[in-house]
Amino acid sequence: MYYLIKSSLTECSAAECHNSEFQYVAVLTFEEWQKEQSSFDMGIELDINENDIHNTKAEVNYDSLTGTFSVPSRRNICGKDYQYAFALDEKGIVFIDSTGVVERILKRIVRTKRWRMPCMERFIYDFLETIIARDLTLLERYEKELDAIEDDMMDENTETTLVRVNEIRSDLRELRVHYEQLIDLGQELQENENNFFKPENTRYFRLFTDRVTRLHDTASSLRDYAMQIRDVYNTQIDVKQNRIMTLLTVVTTIFMPLTLIVGWYGMNFRYMPELETKWGYPVVVIVSIAIIIGGLWFFRKKKWL
């Protein structure tokens, strides 16, 4: 697919793309790029495939700028990333993508963007902004979910597990790494080492970098929040376990004297006078009840119950 950067992104043919006075945007598969890269006259041999892409970055070459994107799917952030590459110079930009995600982004730009002063810098800004367009809403949803989980933890009638908290924490970690890479990419574009971009238009990259920085800070704060919730949960588990151990200790302590009495009078020596006493059994019962009541009173006074 080929486009020209006019007042909007306008679809065109390959011939129009190479011969037009307007800057172009091209989307090729990895196989198509191997066949057609010489026609773009960028002076590079970008031999890359999908399996070689691991992160988002940009590299400055002598007369071109190349790089890769590794973008987490917002539906499954910890799943497989969308991976594609790009190469650009002052004439235009080529995306090398076999996933179809770049084409979907460009179609969205065609539908929604109109430019008073069309330029490559503004297109790149809109492309990058589309990647993160829904991230603020996503982070707000995570925040509300974490708030709900924290409220559930305060409710003694609700049993909350760490599974969802750990999933959110993992998603936020992946997003934070993704934002760090986008910040580096934006700064590399803003540097404009090859002077492909007009100096007055590099402000678009600064705007993008500032926005991603705010998203990065938000994701970091929410990840810390998730870790705090996990610590609170673990603390509550420890408190419950301590209560159980305290109760077991109290019960054991109360019944230890009773166990002694049972063991003592279970010896059945011949000359144990209590065995022949008429009131022996009632006295032992009363003493046992008194020990239980006295133990409960003592532990409650000490606020151990």
Side-chain angles (χ1 to χ4, degrees), residues 30 34 46-57 59 67-70 80 83-85:
F30 286 89
Q34 295 298 325
L46 185 59
D47 185 13
I48 192 172
N49 60 63
E50 297 170 277
N51 297 325
D52 294 332
I53 300 174
H54 304 290
N55 52 21
T56 299
K57 63 179 181 179
E59 296 180 356
T68 57
F69 283 92
S70 184
K80 182 175 175 57
Q83 297 172 333
Y84 46 94

Side-chain angles (χ1 to χ4, degrees), residues 1-2 12-18 24-47 87 89 91 93-96:
M1 300 295 291
Y2 300 90
C12 66
S13 65
E16 291 174 325
C17 169
H18 292 300
Y24 65 82
V25 178
V27 185
L28 306 176
T29 65
F30 286 89
E31 293 76 14
E32 290 172 340
W33 170 252
Q34 295 298 325
K35 297 177 182 178
E36 301 182 25
Q37 61 176 309
S38 59
S39 65
F40 292 95
D41 193 26
M42 290 186 176
I44 57 172
E45 289 293 333
L46 185 59
D47 185 13
D89 59 13
K91 300 185 294 295
I93 182 170
V94 181
F95 291 101
I96 305 100

Side-chain angles (χ1 to χ4, degrees), residues 112-130:
T112 61
K113 301 297 181 181
R114 297 291 183 273
W115 301 307
R116 186 181 299 274
M117 294 183 293
C119 60
M120 172 67 70
E121 299 87 338
R122 179 55 194 267
F123 163 76
I124 295 175
Y125 169 80
D126 286 336
F127 181 87
L128 295 173
E129 192 272 340
T130 302

Side-chain angles (χ1 to χ4, degrees), residues 202-215:
T202 57
R203 61 189 176 88
Y204 290 119
F205 306 135
R206 184 178 68 254
L207 290 173
F208 172 75
T209 302
D210 291 343
R211 181 175 180 184
V212 178
T213 300
R214 290 193 296 272
L215 290 173

Side-chain angles (χ1 to χ4, degrees), residues 123-140:
F123 163 76
I124 295 175
Y125 169 80
D126 286 336
F127 181 87
L128 295 173
E129 192 272 340
T130 302
I131 293 176
I132 61 171
R134 294 178 293 176
D135 285 12
L136 183 59
T137 302
L138 176 65
L139 294 175
E140 289 175 350

Side-chain angles (χ1 to χ4, degrees), residues 53-120:
I53 300 174
H54 304 290
N55 52 21
T56 299
K57 63 179 181 179
E59 296 180 356
V60 178
N61 304 299
Y62 178 74
D63 54 359
S64 64
L65 184 67
T66 61
T68 57
F69 283 92
S70 184
V71 181
S73 169
R74 296 318 191 254
R75 296 181 180 179
N76 183 15
I77 294 176
C78 289
K80 182 175 175 57
D81 291 354
Y82 294 117
Q83 297 172 333
Y84 46 94
F86 71 92
L88 68 84
D89 59 13
E90 70 278 2
K91 300 185 294 295
I93 182 170
V94 181
F95 291 101
I96 305 100
D97 172 41
S98 298
T99 66
V101 64
V102 172
E103 186 61 32
R104 291 197 297 270
I105 293 175
L106 295 184
K107 288 181 178 179
R108 182 176 179 183
I109 293 175
V110 169
R111 292 195 309 269
T112 61
K113 301 297 181 181
R114 297 291 183 273
W115 301 307
R116 186 181 299 274
M117 294 183 293
C119 60
M120 172 67 70

